[in-house]
């Protein structure tokens, strides 16, 4: 006679088989995605106030700089001003060399909910090259039960963190996704209030968006960086795992090279009981990055603390070869979300094994070396670290909060030179906002110029 | 592997959806209600965190949310009337006691239980939750869960010829290949 346990197993298995190959319909997926995104974006005013208090305390008592790892800041943190000065007019003298001037208005939006910045000039535009970034910015905060939005501005940001306003985009929230350095257009997604998001191409001079066919991700949807340092996005309709988006807005499904059989090879390489591995990101054309975690650890059962419980492994499937880049034993924390950035492999590290990561590290030869800037209190509650792009040895990354408790806070964007100990803050934590208007969102998108 | 909520949603919506829908059908008894229930559970579970330890963990959140949302839905009088109408009275399930031991029997027998009894025994047997964990997941008191479990298991034993008890599992183990 079967017990109820076996009968339940059978019944659930039958019900699952009856469901066949059903998927959540695309329109329902959109509804779920929008509801969850808004829930994350609009946390209570109380939580926002708590964050503001934390920022004040940090601002009063913490000195930026080398706290854990000896980083050196190459660019001063841009100071925030509640009353930015009016713009200087664009340079009257066109630059003979460099990029053609697209005809930017050269204006500067004045608002307490924007970071300090300058107006774009012909000289600045002429100096743009790969490694400069586009950053779309709109602060959101909660006033009582109502969500409020500040102005949306797209900034051109130098690798050292100098910000220049390109265009003020009224209306719907826009997130820049991809941009070719020097181009007057960029691929974006648009998030209208109450309607589904859509993909488009933003005219950086006029602020107009031309809709295009395709998927409309936003900054949280970066899965990893490809071999060129461009973000690859998590697909949102269940039909494509990953999507690559070009600066002109065209989209293509992305498959991680050298992924076939890589997870099984990593499992064999580690040789640990109960280990579970999955291909996490590309490495190059011949190898991929595999992330492993021991099943026992994830289940909270007793394990040998001396064993590796989290690992990042480089695997060459064609050669059935694997190299352990970094492994973490039970009492040393964790590693997750590996990606390539130029010639480096980086991943989230630190924190207790069953908690969230607190650090971002270069992973190599069994060691984790902190990405420059990590540990410098750039974000008061940072526990989520995400790659946003890379050019050469410079990684652009973001840090925000919400891993454990879901507290939504603005994203701080940082450039770190992995070949040195230098870093620059591209967008700092928004301090000094009017009382009761402390934002829980700011940066809506980052596109590192290729 | 740690995953962001929207990454988890993509996988759940595609690869894990049949399993979630199957769970919901077991509770609701009909597919249309189950589809609504899964959608509600996805929102409910994914809004709690921005990242998850793994897709499996996110699925676990959703599976528990399916049960809790199911309970929530029957708390409203109108929903209760609708779902109770779909509940099969034990006296109207003539083949249940006569063909003991098949999965179909369990599904039919489960639908004879009141919603709270159904959710409690489902979480006990499908997720291995203790009484305390079930109470937390469903927003009920431990005493109420014990009562629902006892009544539900007793009814299922009578219908299916099993002899299980409502004692807490002494060592909760999740099945291999199941949710972690």
């Amino acid at each position: 006679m079967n017990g109820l346990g076996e009968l339940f197993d059978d019944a659930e298995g039958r019900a699952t088989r009856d469901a066949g190959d059903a998927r959540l319909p695309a329109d329902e997926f959109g509804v779920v995605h929008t509801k969850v995104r808004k829930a994350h974006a609009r946390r209570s005013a109380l939580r926002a106030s708590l964050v503001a208090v934390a920022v004040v305390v940090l601002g009063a008592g913490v000195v930026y700089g080398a706290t854990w790892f000896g980083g050196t800041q190459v660019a001063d943190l841009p100071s925030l001003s509640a009353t930015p000065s009016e713009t200087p007019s664009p340079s009257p003298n066109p630059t003979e060399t460099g990029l053609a001037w697209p005809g930017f208005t050269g204006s500067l939006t004045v608002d307490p909910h924007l970071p300090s910045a300058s107006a774009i000039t012909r000289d600045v535009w002429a100096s743009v090259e790969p490694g400069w970034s586009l950053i779309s910015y709109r602060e959101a905060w909660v006033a009582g039960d109502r969500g409020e939005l500040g102005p949306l501005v797209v900034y051109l940001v130098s690798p050292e963190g100098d910000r220049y306003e390109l265009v003020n985009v009224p209306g719907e929230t826009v997130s820049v996704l991809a941009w070719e350095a020097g181009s007057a257009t960029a691929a974006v997604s648009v998030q209208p209030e109450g309607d589904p998001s859509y993909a488009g191409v933003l005219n950086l001079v006029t602020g107009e968006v031309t809709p295009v066919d395709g998927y409309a991700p936003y900054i949280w949807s970066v899965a990893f960086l490809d071999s060129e340092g461009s973000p690859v996005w998590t697909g949102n309709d269940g039909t494509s795992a990953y999507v690559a988006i070009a600066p002109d807005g065209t989209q293509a499904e992305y498959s991680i090279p050298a992924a076939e059989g890589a997870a099984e090879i990593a499992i064999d390489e580690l040789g640990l009981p109960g280990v579970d591995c999955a291909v996490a990101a590309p490495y190059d054309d011949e190898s991929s990055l595999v992330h492993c975690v021991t099943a026992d650890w994830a289940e909270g059962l007793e394990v040998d603390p001396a064993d590796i419980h989290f690992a990042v492994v480089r695997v060459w499937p064609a050669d059935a070869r694997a190299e352990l880049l970094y492994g973490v034993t039970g009492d040393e924390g964790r590693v997750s979300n590996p990606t390539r950035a130029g010639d480096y492999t980086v991943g989230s590290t630190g924190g207790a094994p069953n908690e969230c990561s607190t650090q971002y590290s270069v992973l190599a030869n069994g060691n984790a070396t902190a990405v420059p800037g990590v540990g410098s209190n750039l974000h008061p509650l940072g526990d989520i670290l995400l790659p946003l792009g890379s050019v050469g040895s410079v990684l652009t990354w973001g840090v925000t909060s919400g891993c454990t408790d879901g507290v939504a806070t603005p994203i701080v964007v940082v450039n770190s030179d992995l070949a040195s100990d230098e870093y620059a803050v591209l967008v700092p934590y928004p301090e000094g906002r009017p009382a009761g208007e402390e934002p829980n969102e700011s940066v809506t998108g980052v596109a590192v110029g290729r | 592997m740690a995953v962001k909520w929207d990454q988890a949603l993509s996988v759940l919506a595609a690869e894990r959806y049949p399993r979630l829908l199957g769970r919901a059908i077991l509770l609701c008894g009909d597919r249309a209600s189950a589809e609504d229930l899964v959608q509600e559970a996805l929102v409910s579970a994914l809004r709690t965190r921005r990242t998850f330890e793994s897709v499996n963990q996110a699925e676990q959140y959703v599976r528990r949310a399916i049960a809790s949302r199911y309970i929530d839905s029957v708390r409203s009088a109108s929903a209760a009337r609708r779902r109770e109408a779909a509940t099969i009275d034990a006296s109207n399930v003539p083949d249940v006691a006569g063909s003991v031991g098949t999965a179909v029997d369990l599904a039919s027998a489960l639908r004879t239980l009141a919603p709270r009894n159904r959710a409690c025994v489902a979480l006990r047997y499908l997720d291995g939750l203790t009484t305390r964990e079930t109470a937390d997941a469903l927003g009920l008191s431990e005493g109420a869960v014990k009562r629902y479990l006892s009544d539900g298991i007793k009814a299922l034993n009578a219908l299916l010829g099993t002899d299980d008890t409502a004692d807490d599992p002494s060592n909760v183990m999740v099945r291999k290949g199941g949710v972690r």
Side-chain angles (χ1 to χ4, degrees):
Chain A
M1 161 109 32
N2 289 331
L4 283 176
E6 288 80 6
L7 295 179
F8 266 96
D9 282 351
D10 290 344
E12 189 174 42
R14 178 183 294 268
T16 300
R17 288 191 296 278
D18 289 346
D21 57 356
R23 291 167 178 252
L24 186 66
D27 56 339
E28 291 183 22
F29 184 102
V31 170
V32 172
H33 192 278
T34 300
K35 286 183 177 178
V36 176
R37 183 176 62 80
K38 288 186 175 179
H40 283 303
R42 294 182 177 172
R43 288 289 168 182
S44 71
L46 173 62
R47 304 308 291 264
S49 299
L50 290 174
V51 171
V53 170
V55 172
V56 169
V57 171
L58 279 171
V62 177
V63 177
Y64 276 85
T67 302
W68 296 340
F69 301 107
T72 302
Q73 191 172 355
V74 295
D76 290 340
L77 286 175
S79 61
L80 293 173
S81 169
T83 54
S85 59
E86 276 296 347
T87 172
S89 60
S91 166
N93 301 316
T95 305
E96 293 299 328
T97 59
L99 298 170
W101 177 251
F104 297 115
T105 62
S107 59
L108 183 64
T109 305
V110 178
D111 192 280
H113 282 287
L114 290 174
S116 62
S118 304
I120 186 67
T121 66
R122 293 171 185 266
D123 288 340
V124 169
W125 181 253
S127 62
V128 170
E129 58 185 11
W132 285 61
S133 299
L134 278 190
I135 296 180
S136 48
Y137 188 99
R138 164 171 270 173
E139 293 187 6
W141 64 96
V142 178
D145 294 332
R146 199 174 64 250
E148 300 285 354
L149 296 172
L152 191 148
V153 171
V154 177
Y155 294 106
L156 172 70
V157 186
S158 75
E160 293 76 30
D162 301 316
R163 292 181 293 277
Y164 303 93
E165 178 174 330
L166 290 186
V167 63
N168 182 319
V169 184
E172 298 165 343
T173 297
V174 169
S175 301
V176 295
L177 304 175
W179 177 60
E180 181 179 355
S183 171
T185 62
V188 297
S189 63
V190 184
Q191 295 94 39
E193 281 293 312
D195 292 316
S197 301
Y198 61 90
V201 174
L202 172 68
N203 183 318
L204 296 170
V205 177
T206 65
E208 294 176 350
V209 175
T210 303
V212 297
D213 290 335
Y215 162 46
Y218 67 121
I219 193 167
W220 283 99
S221 303
V222 175
F224 47 74
L225 305 182
D226 66 13
S227 59
E228 303 299 319
S230 297
V232 175
W233 309 87
T234 303
N236 79 338
D237 60 359
T239 59
S240 175
Y242 302 117
V243 176
I245 300 177
D248 65 0
T250 58
Q251 302 190 2
E253 289 189 20
Y254 181 91
S255 297
I256 297 175
E260 186 71 29
E264 291 74 16
I265 294 169
I267 290 172
D268 291 342
E269 168 72 12
L270 290 176
L272 295 169
V275 70
D276 183 15
C277 296
V279 175
Y283 192 101
D284 56 22
D285 288 343
E286 285 78 39
S287 60
S288 55
L289 286 171
V290 176
H291 179 256
C292 298
V293 56
T294 55
D296 283 352
W297 183 266
E299 288 178 8
L301 303 179
E302 287 194 7
V303 294
D304 184 345
D307 279 347
I308 288 176
H309 298 300
F310 297 89
V312 173
V313 184
R314 180 185 180 188
V315 177
W316 293 260
D319 302 333
R321 186 160 62 93
E323 174 191 6
L324 176 64
L325 298 181
Y326 183 57
V328 184
T329 57
D331 53 359
E332 290 181 353
R334 55 180 297 118
V335 61
S336 62
N337 299 94
T339 190
R340 288 291 282 173
D343 294 331
Y344 301 86
T345 301
V346 298
S348 299
T349 57
N354 55 356
E355 295 178 355
C356 296
S357 298
T358 55
Q359 300 169 33
Y360 213 30
S361 301
V362 176
L363 312 175
N365 305 317
N367 297 314
T369 307
V371 166
V374 171
S376 299
N377 296 307
L378 302 176
H379 191 290
L381 299 173
D383 60 8
I384 296 177
L385 307 111
L386 62 161
L388 299 169
S390 72
V391 172
S393 62
V394 176
L395 168 68
T396 303
W397 57 284
V399 55
T400 185
S401 67
C403 177
T404 50
D405 53 14
V407 176
T409 59
I411 296 173
V412 171
V413 183
V414 186
N415 262 4
S416 295
D417 187 346
L418 304 180
S420 69
D421 63 351
E422 298 178 337
Y423 70 93
V425 176
L426 304 190
V427 179
Y429 198 94
E431 298 179 62
R433 298 302 185 251
E437 297 181 7
E438 295 82 5
N440 51 25
E441 287 189 341
S442 60
V443 173
T444 66
V446 177
V448 179
R450 317 306 312 168
Chain B
M1 179 187 313
V3 293
K4 294 189 278 290
W5 69 266
D6 52 355
Q7 293 175 302
L9 173 59
S10 294
V11 177
L12 294 174
E15 301 171 14
R16 312 290 175 89
Y17 187 71
R19 201 152 70 191
L20 297 172
L21 189 58
R23 159 66 64 96
I25 289 173
L26 266 186
L27 287 173
C28 297
D30 73 279
R31 182 159 179 153
S33 299
E35 289 172 346
D36 292 344
L37 188 57
V38 172
Q39 183 178 335
E40 292 171 10
L42 283 166
V43 173
S44 175
L46 296 180
R47 69 193 307 169
T48 61
R49 307 171 57 136
R50 279 186 159 175
T51 62
F52 294 84
E53 291 287 326
S54 62
V55 173
N56 286 337
Q57 187 197 44
E59 183 181 356
Q60 186 177 47
Y61 273 69
V62 177
R63 287 160 65 92
R64 293 185 187 181
I66 286 172
S68 62
R69 298 295 298 184
Y70 173 66
I71 291 286
D72 290 345
S73 70
V74 298
R75 277 177 175 144
S76 76
S78 59
R81 281 196 297 275
R82 199 164 56 244
R83 294 184 190 275
E84 289 301 332
T87 299
I88 302 169
D89 186 273
S91 61
N92 294 328
V93 190
D95 61 335
V96 166
S99 53
V100 171
T102 71
V104 172
D105 294 330
L106 187 280
S108 299
L110 196 57
R111 286 198 290 275
T112 68
L113 304 184
R116 288 180 178 80
N117 303 57
R118 201 183 306 175
C120 289
V121 295
L123 288 177
R124 162 62 56 86
Y125 284 103
L126 294 176
D127 288 340
L129 297 196
T130 63
T131 302
R132 176 61 178 273
E133 290 167 334
T134 303
D136 288 344
L138 299 180
L140 301 170
S141 70
E142 282 191 67
V145 169
K146 285 179 181 174
R147 189 169 68 252
Y148 293 137
L149 271 174
S150 176
D151 291 348
I153 292 172
K154 188 183 299 181
L156 291 179
N157 283 338
L159 288 168
L160 300 171
T162 50
D163 58 355
D164 283 40
T165 68
D167 295 338
D168 267 355
S170 57
N171 183 20
V172 176
M173 294 284 290
V174 178
R175 296 189 307 278
K176 182 178 177 60
V179 171
R180 280 191 279 121

